[in-house]
Amino acid sequence: SQATTVAEVYEEWIRAKPEQWFWVHRRWKSKPDAGDVVRTARGLEVWGKGRIGVLLDRDGTVNRDLGRGVLAPDELELLPGVGAAIRRLNDAGVAVFVTTNQAVVARGQITETDLAAIHQRMGEMLAKDGARVDGIHYCPHHPTEGKGAFSRVCDCRKPLPGLLNRATAEGGLNPALSLFVGDRDTDVKAARAAGYPVTLVSNGWAHKPWEPPTETPDHIAANLPDAIDRFLEKRFGGRDE
């Protein structure tokens, strides 16, 4: 139709000078208003208020929790639908960070080099679904079970918010407009301390049935894809591109 042709021409003209235009929820604007959700070179952000992001716990949220930690790359098993869910966030311009306690390093069960190999494997598995994370922040400490330099009280081990604060600073995120997704009480406490709304998922434990939290999250989802669908619907009315 003529209307469709005009719209296509208009779109092509705008994209020829992307620095002069911003995609604002369902339409183009040359000057966003405060509070508009816009695409910028950094990703998706609320104009004047910072970027929108999703922080993810790892074990029990992204990959199956074995109850003893993942000790080798071939032990890492992504939970169903995780790659596609993260890709939806990538496509929407939403920053994605992983924040994870890794006491297996503190106990000497694996080294930080081993952990890097596990995370490399996670990245490769996500890439098969066209997905990626923007950063991984981990805590290698434990206050009572750690060995050597890893035996200490730190500010990064959840339920303290240090890891989340680091990801927030790295991504330039606005916690109140973003989301933290985890699977247990320590995640709820860390998210609350860092200022994030929090959703827990219930499908990630392989070693025993999932236990409902004593700390109350904002929402409990069946899995990460459900949590992301709900977040995108709430934040953008379902629009994720």
Side-chain angles (χ1 to χ4, degrees):
S1 68
Q2 183 178 1
T4 300
T5 302
V6 170
E8 291 174 348
V9 171
Y10 186 52
E11 177 90 357
E12 182 178 356
W13 175 61
I14 287 173
R15 291 187 183 278
K17 295 183 178 295
E19 73 282 357
Q20 297 178 16
W21 296 87
F22 300 86
W23 175 252
V24 180
H25 193 50
R26 290 185 169 82
R27 64 195 181 100
W28 289 97
K29 297 171 71 172
S30 61
K31 184 178 180 182
D33 297 317
D36 279 344
V37 178
V38 303
R39 285 185 181 276
T40 70
R42 299 197 312 165
L44 207 66
E45 58 185 283
V46 176
W47 194 252
K49 295 185 178 181
R51 291 180 72 192
I52 297 169
V54 172
L55 306 189
L56 304 173
D57 171 56
R58 199 194 79 179
D59 300 333
T61 304
V62 172
N63 60 272
R64 203 168 299 283
D65 189 333
L66 304 177
R68 57 163 174 75
V70 175
L71 304 181
D74 61 4
E75 292 186 348
L76 189 81
E77 179 186 354
L78 295 185
L79 289 164
V82 161
I86 293 176
R87 186 183 68 241
R88 285 195 69 196
L89 294 172
N90 298 152
D91 291 345
V94 175
V96 182
F97 290 89
V98 171
T99 59
T100 175
N101 288 348
Q102 290 298 316
V104 288
V105 175
R107 299 186 190 105
Q109 295 171 275
I110 64 173
T111 67
E112 289 187 276
T113 299
D114 295 330
L115 183 60
I118 291 168
H119 286 157
Q120 180 178 346
R121 174 62 176 158
M122 182 179 72
E124 292 169 352
M125 295 172 77
L126 290 173
K128 291 180 179 179
D129 286 321
R132 71 182 190 286
V133 297
D134 295 287
I136 300 174
H137 293 268
Y138 67 89
C139 172
H141 312 115
H142 196 285
T144 60
E145 300 176 16
K147 297 180 179 181
F150 298 120
S151 177
R152 67 183 182 90
V153 176
C154 62
D155 68 352
C156 56
R157 180 173 172 80
K158 294 179 288 183
L160 294 177
L163 291 180
L164 282 67
N165 291 339
R166 293 176 193 175
T168 301
E170 180 182 339
L173 307 181
N174 183 323
L177 300 172
S178 301
L179 179 68
F180 183 90
V181 186
D183 67 315
R184 64 193 67 214
D185 282 324
T186 51
D187 293 320
V188 177
K189 292 178 180 178
R192 294 276 186 250
Y196 282 82
V198 56
T199 292
L200 295 188
V201 297
S202 59
N203 72 321
W205 294 9
H207 57 298
K208 62 180 180 179
W210 184 73
E211 298 174 354
T214 57
E215 298 288 329
T216 304
D218 295 292
H219 182 65
I220 295 177
N223 48 52
L224 185 61
D226 284 352
I228 297 311
D229 285 347
R230 184 174 185 272
F231 173 71
L232 290 171
E233 177 65 33
K234 180 179 180 181
R235 182 59 59 207
F236 312 116
R239 183 185 179 91
D240 57 349
E241 62 180 357

